[in-house]
Every structure is written in structure tokens, then in C-alpha cells.
Amino acid sequence: MDKKYCAYICAGCGIGDALDLEALAEVVTGEMSMECKTFSCLCGAEGRSLIEKDIADGVNTVVVGACSPRVMTQEFDFGKDKITVRANLREQVVWAQAKPAEGEEPHSEAAEFMQETASDYMRMACTRAKKTEPADPYKLEAINKTILVMGGGLAGLTAAKEAAAAGYNVILAEKDDKLGGKAVGWRKSFPTKAPWTDLEENPIHALIAEVEANAKITIKTGIEVARITGAPGDFGISFKAAGSKTEWDAPAKVTTEEQDLINKGEKDDPNVGLMKYTKINPEATKVGAVVLATGWTPADVSQYEHLGYGKVKNVVTNAEFEKLAKDGKVPANVAFVQSPGGKDNDKDFPYCNSVTSMVALKQAQYVCQDNAEGKAYILYQHMRTPGHMELFYKNAQLNDGIFMTKGNVMKVEEAGGGLSVAVEDTLLGENINLNVDMVVLAAGMEPTTLHEKSINLAYRQGPGFNDLGLFDGYADSHFICFPYETRRTGVYTCGGVRKAETMEEAVDDATGAALKAIQCIESVDRGVSVHPRSGDATYPEFFMQRCTQCKRCTEECPFGALDDDDKGTPLPNPTRCRRCGTCMGACPERIIGFKDYNIDLIGSMIKSIEVPEDDEDRLRILVLVCENDAYPALDMSGMRRNGISHMVRFIPVRCLGSVNMAWIRDALSAGLDGAMLLGCTYGDDYQCHFVKGSEIANKRMENIGDTLSTLGLEPERCAANQVAITDYDKIPQIINDFVEEIVEMGPNPFKGF
């Protein structure tokens, strides 16, 4: 595309009062060789008309020096065929300066520093505009819009129903011979409406009937997914009979003598399961997206020997008690143990949350309903009933047959014809012994992905989720911001496989997952990214001629978007890609990039920063900022006029994982005095939208310290920090402290070379 440029600088929001716009425009027209116009309010109707008139006259590449690119997105959207780059002159230049104290006049030197900062941001924006190419969306030759739902329990049935209601064909695969999952065995369900006190009829049977009657839903029972190949919009699904071997199981090696015995029927064939599957069930199909609703299993509680599960009669789990209640009458005196007690006196059972608390309240009511003199004892360390369920809890408190106390259960043992439960440290400070007929342990809800490869992906980075080493077996990508996504684009989770939840929550969950699957299919059809960079039409492009098959890109991609061949050459799957750029940051040969984000583009922006020589008041420090958490936090810090050093220059990046260390080396070689990465928290409290970007970048920065030492530069000139989006009041201190450290070290010795 032949580009015609024009830059526009806004005078509104205090920008015109703080900056010399005429001088700023001269930087653009002189140094950057680009036409430049100023206007009082570019986001208003007249300002937009000014830009649209120039576009009608042939301008197709627009640079806007105004507010943050995070705001006024519609006002500065001039169409997909136009390139628009924005320089953040408001939040990160004018508003980034601390307000003068009351009665204090603005500093003339501070105004000069601010002008220099604004000039650098306009230089970088113009450079970015020149280096950016229009996006060329990646589109599949043929796309399949059928949705596969794995699991026929409450969540799977709901997801299938909702996807079909939206007009999409659905394949519902369930490994059991009938639909309904664990919910079929439940006697009652929690209240879902006011007054939030009464148990309700189990809705599962009506839901099954509705799904079975839907012509858009193809139901397959007694079947499992054997293998998933391909990518969103073009997944290949192979099925197998439930419990049978898959065709990818390696056949057993047998000797000639053993084969003779097999042929005579005197020895079992070790490959019979494989042969049976291959012969009887060669079924395969194509789908566009997958909803994983394979559910949960009760957590193992036998490890708590003092509670007697598996050894003492009538010690059962909550799941087992529910089956007893569904099949008939429950005992008259029951203790519900919510926490393991003993030495772990302040812990819950594994994979417990508010659901297990409410299950105990529900099942305690069974005891009272089935027995005129029934008594239910709920022994807990933590009782959780969020939202309207607090009314459910209070109603249980009013039941004369239900007794609740916080206490530490020390021992469960047989006593006479029943059980004795020893409890210490109760609410009243007394130790008690309860004589009951049955003890119910609050076993948590473990996701099936913790133990099973219920989803068998033909991906470079593994066939399942539990091999990824995150999230305690749950199949999440980013629990807070992207709750249904997994680390495999096009695969969405709901129900117990995502988290322990009530039936009502599972219904909401399944609806969300179905909508995400639809969004994925339609985004792939348009050739754009699904999440978190929704609508991004770029995708990573590889200059394979220089690839050294080092495998770093395939190994570091958080989402399995890259497979590789026998030599290690990356095999991209663009519709799996989340556009984070981690592959670009990993590549030592710099052969990976996007149309609007690549090594040369960011490197050129860094080089466009003016680096004054021999002036310790004008050191220059580069800060590469994650666009997801850190950049918004910087904007909010600016809104609060917190004050950030004039020596810092910010460049937003898609993810810290996309930062190639070439940028850091080139920045310091060009005379910049320091470099910092500012991104999301990683580890146990991770916040990274791309899961491991911050962690990967931090490791790279640790390694670059050795390189700097060989160049005679202090490793302390580079730093990496993690912040949350809410840390807008902490960011100035983090940055300004780093600036002070650089000032103490003095100017970069490479300055001027």
C-alpha cells in the first residue's frame, strides 16, 4: 500500500496549555517529514470531520497526538483499511507530571522536560506509522461451524441447548450410556429464587428431554473423544467406544510363538482392544470449536485416617450420601464433617468451596425430612454461603433439627451400634463427643482433567491440560479475565471441570462457554483473533529461510499454536494463535513478526528517542509496558497526577513475553541509560493475560545481565517489575526509584558512540 501520512495534535484536555504545539508540529514536519495539523478538540465532531476530509483526499495513515489509545477508540477509528497510530500526550506526558504545590508556580525547566517528552512520543508514533503495514487477515479455505460438546451432564446439556438455540449444529458426546451425569442422582437442588429457603426439584430430567427433542443436536452416548487435531474452525475429531483403547496406543510386541498361541485361542491377544476399536468405530468428524464439560469426581478423603473413611462402617462422602438420599430414607442422626480437622485444623478438604458448605445444609434437611426426631450436626472450620445463599443458611439455622458449630474433628470411631465423633475447640470452647448413625465427609469436586486426558489433543505441547503444570488441574487460561478460555484456543470449559459450582452456576457457566465457542467460530470466519486481542487481524509471520530449528518459539508459546516437523521447523496454526507475540520475543534470529508489531518496528521506535549527551538531568530510560495491566495502570496514575520522572519513555507491548532481548541490547548500545520491563504478576497469583509472558520475560532479563557485564555495563541498568492494574499509586514509586538508581550509576558510557 502506498502510504499518505498526516499527523494531528489535539490541544484539548490541557495539552495545548502545557505544550508548545507549534514547536511540536515542527518536530513532526521537520524530523519526521510528515504533514501535521493542530486542532482544539480532535475527538469532537469538528475534529473528526477534519481528519475524515483529509482521508477523503487520500490520507490513509493517521497519527493522532492526544489522549491514551485506550480511550476514544470509536472516535479515532477510521476503518480497517486505514492505519491509525496514537501518541499518548495526555495521560503519559501532560498528566504524568506532578501538580505544583499550592501557591507554587510551574517550573520552567519542568515545562522544557515535558516538551522533550512529547516530542519523543510524536517521533515514536510517526515511526510506528511508517513501519506499520495494513493487516491481512488469515482465513481458512473452509470453515466448520459445528460445536462439539464433551460431556452430557448438566453443564454439557445446557451448553448444547444454548448453542443450538443460537442456530449452531451441536454434537453432544457422553461416555456413559445415558445423559444427565451426576445430577441424575441428586434428590433435590438448591433454591434458585426468592425466598431462597426451600429446596427445589431436580431440573435435570426436563433438560434431558429438551435436548433429546432438539433437531440441531446430535447425541452420541457410550462414546469418547479419542483425538482432536487441527485448529479452531477446522478441528478434526476422532471418536472411540467408551473405555476402549485408542488407535494411537502403541501395539504390543509379540513373538512368533506367542502369535501361534493367540491364533489357536490359547492366549489373549494384547492388541484386541485396539483392533476392535479400529474395526468397529472408525468414526471421525469436523467441528469448529469445542466445549469441555466432562465434569468432576469426588476428591479422595481416605488419607485422613482419623476420620475412618474406608475403614469404619457408615463413614461416607457427601456424594455417597446424596445417592442414599435419592434411593431411600437416610439415618436419623448424622454428622456432616466439613474440614479434615486433626493437625490440619484450619484447612478444608481438597477442592472444597462454598458448594460443599451448601451441600451439607441441603443434606442436613434430608435428615430432618426423613426422620421425625432427626438430628443433623454440621461441624465446620469455614462455612461459605455467598449471595442469596445466606438466606438458605439462615433458614437452616432456624431448623430445630440442625445443629452447627465450628470445631476441630479429632476422631471418628465405632461405638456400640453407631459412631462416636470427638470434636475439640468448638465455638463455646468446649470439647464434645457426638453419637451418631452416620458421618458424612465433605469431599471436594476434583476436575476430571486432574486425572484423565479427557481431551486428547494432537498438539506439540501435549495432549491435555493437566500436563501444563498450572491451576491445580483446572483447565483455565486466565480465571479472572477470561473465565471460559483454556490454554488451547477454541476449547472452552464449563461446569465442574472449570470449578466447583452449584447447578445454577453451572447453567450460567455453560451458557458463557457456548457463547465463547460461537465467538471463536465467527472470529475465525472473519480472520481475526478471538481473545484477548479480540478483532486483531494480524498474525505471526515467519521468515523460514533463516530459521535454525532451535524450537524456542514452539516451546515457549503458551497456547500450543505452533507444532513442528521432525527437524524442529515451526508449523504455525494461525487460528490457534492469541497474538501475544511470545514466539517473536523467543526467536534469536528475529524472523517472527506481525504487520503492526515486529522487531524492526519497536527497535526503530526506540532509536527515534532523542538521547541528549553529557547532561545528567536528561538521562533516558526505556520502559516496555504490558498493554493489559501495566499500561492502564500508568494511565490511571496520570489521571491522578501522581508524577513520573521526565527521563522515562514508555512503549506499550502486547505482552512482556513478546519482548525480544535485542530491543534491550540495542537500546543500551544506542546510549539509553537504562531499561525496565513493567508487566503482570506471575507465579501463584499470576495475572498475565497470556499466562506465562511475565515469567518468561523475567528469565530473559536475568540472562541479559551476563551480556551487559561483558559490555562493561552494570546489570542493574536493566530491571523487570510486576504490577497489577490496580497498582496505579505504586507505579510512580517503582519507576522513580529505578530512575534514581540509574542517576547514581551515571550516564551510559556508550552515549555518543
Side-chain angles (χ1 to χ4, degrees):
M1 147 177 169
D2 293 329
K3 294 181 181 177
K4 182 177 180 182
Y5 305 94
C6 191
Y8 304 85
I9 301 175
C10 183
C13 298
I15 297 173
D17 298 329
L19 300 174
D20 183 342
L21 299 191
E22 185 176 338
L24 198 57
E26 288 178 1
V27 171
V28 175
T29 56
E31 296 180 32
M32 307 311 299
S33 303
M34 192 178 293
E35 184 181 1
C36 186
K37 300 180 180 180
T38 61
F39 193 75
S40 58
C41 179
L42 286 177
C43 65
E46 292 183 11
R48 185 175 172 89
S49 296
L50 169 69
I51 300 174
E52 287 176 335
K53 181 179 181 302
D54 290 345
I55 289 174
D57 292 338
V59 169
N60 56 20
T61 305
V62 175
V63 176
V64 177
C67 49
S68 169
R70 296 181 57 256
V71 300
M72 303 292 181
T73 53
Q74 292 184 337
E75 287 80 356
F76 295 117
D77 181 0
F78 302 106
K80 295 179 181 178
D81 58 335
K82 304 296 184 295
I83 295 172
T84 302
V85 177
R86 297 175 63 181
N88 193 343
L89 301 182
R90 188 178 72 175
E91 285 84 349
Q92 293 180 15
V93 179
V94 175
W95 288 1
Q97 305 303 311
K99 286 183 177 180
E102 188 174 346
E104 182 182 353
E105 289 295 321
H107 229 266
S108 60
E109 193 175 47
E112 186 178 346
F113 291 150
M114 194 187 305
Q115 189 73 24
E116 292 175 355
T117 305
S119 297
D120 276 340
Y121 280 113
M122 289 305 297
R123 291 185 186 101
M124 287 192 286
C126 292
T127 300
R128 184 167 212 147
K130 291 179 179 180
K131 293 288 183 177
T132 296
E133 296 299 327
D136 184 18
Y138 179 87
K139 292 193 175 185
L140 297 171
E141 291 183 7
I143 184 171
N144 190 295
K145 294 194 174 185
T146 299
I147 295 172
L148 170 67
V149 177
M150 295 174 60
L154 176 70
L157 290 166
T158 302
K161 183 190 81 168
E162 296 297 338
Y168 291 80
N169 291 323
V170 178
I171 297 173
L172 178 61
E174 167 56 47
K175 69 178 181 179
D176 290 338
D177 293 332
K178 59 183 181 180
L179 298 176
K182 290 183 177 60
V184 171
W186 296 342
R187 175 164 152 175
K188 294 283 186 178
S189 62
F190 302 131
T192 59
K193 57 184 179 296
W196 308 96
T197 55
D198 303 320
L199 297 179
E200 298 178 2
E201 292 300 316
N202 190 340
I204 192 68
H205 301 288
L207 180 58
I208 293 172
E210 188 176 355
V211 168
E212 289 179 335
N214 196 313
K216 297 191 77 65
I217 302 174
T218 300
I219 298 172
K220 296 178 182 292
T221 55
I223 201 168
E224 294 180 64
V225 172
R227 194 73 156 173
I228 298 179
T229 62
D234 189 34
F235 283 120
I237 310 296
S238 299
F239 295 104
K240 68 186 181 79
S244 68
K245 292 184 178 180
T246 72
E247 64 174 305
W248 291 274
D249 286 343
K253 295 180 180 179
V254 295
T255 65
T256 304
E257 292 77 14
E258 287 174 325
Q259 189 63 54
D260 288 339
L261 293 173
I262 292 168
N263 294 337
K264 293 176 183 177
E266 297 176 10
K267 180 179 174 64
D268 290 333
D269 186 347
N271 296 316
V272 68
L274 170 60
M275 293 165 64
K276 181 180 178 182
Y277 161 59
T278 305
K279 181 179 179 182
I280 294 177
N281 195 16
E283 185 180 0
T285 190
K286 291 278 190 179
V287 302
V290 178
V291 174
L292 184 67
T294 49
W296 57 277
T297 58
D300 181 17
V301 292
S302 62
Q303 59 184 301
Y304 305 103
E305 295 184 3
H306 64 287
L307 298 179
Y309 182 76
K311 298 179 181 179
V312 178
K313 185 180 178 181
N314 286 338
V315 176
V316 300
T317 65
N318 45 10
E320 292 167 340
F321 187 81
E322 187 74 24
K323 187 176 187 306
L324 290 173
K326 178 72 183 301
D327 294 342
K329 187 176 179 180
V330 301
N333 295 284
V334 181
F336 295 88
V337 179
Q338 299 303 103
S339 306
K343 296 178 181 179
D344 297 323
N345 62 346
D346 194 38
K347 293 183 179 179
D348 292 324
F349 289 107
Y351 291 91
C352 279
N353 67 357
S354 60
V355 179
T356 46
S357 294
M358 291 186 288
V359 166
L361 294 173
K362 178 182 74 166
Q363 294 179 344
Q365 293 189 38
Y366 298 162
V367 175
C368 299
Q369 290 169 358
D370 290 358
N371 304 278
E373 300 297 326
K375 292 182 175 59
Y377 304 93
I378 300 178
L379 311 170
Y380 63 89
Q381 286 294 338
H382 310 101
M383 178 62 68
R384 304 177 179 92
T385 52
H388 291 114
M389 289 298 107
E390 184 71 13
L391 298 174
F392 182 55
Y393 168 70
K394 289 182 177 180
N395 186 64
Q397 283 184 313
L398 298 176
N399 190 319
D400 292 338
I402 298 177
F403 306 89
M404 298 184 232
T405 186
K406 182 174 182 178
N408 187 23
V409 178
M410 301 303 296
K411 188 74 174 177
V412 175
E413 56 188 349
E414 293 185 34
L419 300 173
S420 174
V421 183
V423 190
E424 293 184 356
D425 300 326
T426 64
L427 283 174
L428 297 177
E430 300 176 356
N431 297 339
I432 59 175
N433 279 283
L434 299 174
N435 294 314
V436 296
D437 304 314
M438 182 171 283
V439 170
V440 181
L441 306 182
M445 301 165 67
E446 289 185 347
T448 55
T449 47
L450 187 65
H451 303 294
E452 305 172 8
K453 283 187 171 61
S454 51
I455 184 163
N456 195 5
L457 298 163
Y459 279 23
R460 164 69 170 79
Q461 291 190 353
F465 298 118
N466 55 343
D467 52 338
L468 300 179
L470 291 171
F471 320 124
D472 295 324
Y474 289 118
D476 286 312
S477 171
H478 190 285
F479 192 86
I480 298 171
C481 298
F482 307 107
Y484 309 110
E485 283 82 347
T486 69
R487 286 182 64 189
R488 298 295 174 255
T489 309
V491 180
Y492 303 92
T493 59
C494 59
V497 76
R498 194 178 78 81
K499 70 181 183 74
E501 52 192 22
T502 65
M503 294 181 78
E504 187 178 20
E505 289 173 325
V507 167
D508 290 343
D509 223 23
T511 304
L515 290 173
K516 277 292 183 180
I518 292 169
Q519 181 193 33
C520 173
I521 290 171
E522 296 304 327
S523 295
V524 169
D525 197 23
R526 301 197 312 273
V528 300
S529 175
V530 190
H531 44 75
R533 294 182 58 83
S534 299
D536 186 348
T538 66
Y539 58 93
E541 298 175 337
F542 294 70
F543 187 68
M544 291 297 186
Q545 292 90 328
R546 281 183 23 220
C547 179
T548 61
Q549 290 85 32
C550 70
K551 298 187 181 180
R552 291 186 190 177
C553 59
T554 57
E555 290 171 355
E556 292 192 7
C557 174
F559 307 108
L562 301 169
D563 296 320
D564 54 12
D565 62 18
D566 294 338
K567 295 181 180 179
T569 306
L571 303 175
N573 296 277
T575 63
R576 292 186 200 167
C577 178
R578 303 273 177 98
R579 278 69 167 179
C580 61
T582 298
C583 55
M584 183 177 87
C587 182
E589 295 297 319
R590 313 182 196 182
I591 67 167
I592 308 172
F594 301 78
K595 294 289 189 185
D596 64 351
Y597 185 67
N598 51 63
I599 304 296
D600 177 55
L601 185 151
I602 300 296
S604 298
M605 290 175 65
I606 293 170
K607 292 174 184 175
S608 72
I609 298 171
E610 188 175 72
V611 182
E613 297 180 20
D614 302 325
D615 190 341
E616 294 190 1
D617 290 331
R618 285 179 163 83
L619 301 184
R620 290 292 178 262
I621 295 155
L622 172 69
V623 181
L624 298 172
V625 186
C626 168
E627 69 180 8
N628 295 302
D629 272 29
Y631 197 84
L634 275 170
D635 278 353
M636 288 187 279
S637 177
M639 292 174 186
R640 287 160 176 76
R641 310 297 203 278
N642 284 338
I644 292 177
S645 172
H646 65 276
M647 301 184 188
V648 175
R649 301 293 182 266
F650 299 113
I651 296 180
V653 296
R654 294 186 174 188
C655 173
L656 289 194
S658 70
V659 174
N660 194 292
M661 289 300 103
W663 295 339
I664 306 298
R665 289 191 293 268
D666 291 350
L668 295 177
S669 298
L672 271 75
D673 302 284
M676 173 188 279
L677 305 186
L678 200 60
C680 309
T681 303
Y682 63 87
D684 291 340
D685 298 322
Y686 92 104
Q687 293 290 316
C688 180
H689 284 53
F690 299 106
V691 183
K692 301 192 78 171
S694 289
E695 183 177 355
I696 290 170
N698 195 66
K699 290 178 181 177
R700 292 176 190 160
M701 286 292 275
E702 289 173 356
N703 295 333
I704 202 174
D706 298 333
T707 303
L708 297 181
S709 296
T710 61
L711 295 174
L713 292 174
E714 302 89 340
E716 292 78 15
R717 287 188 183 272
C718 293
N721 278 280
Q722 292 79 48
V723 295
I725 196 170
T726 54
D727 287 341
Y728 43 80
D729 286 330
K730 298 178 183 178
I731 279 183
Q733 189 71 41
I734 292 171
I735 292 173
N736 293 338
D737 285 350
F738 181 63
V739 170
E740 289 182 12
E741 292 177 17
I742 298 297
V743 170
E744 289 180 10
M745 282 183 247
N748 183 343
F750 284 101
K751 198 183 295 288
F753 285 91

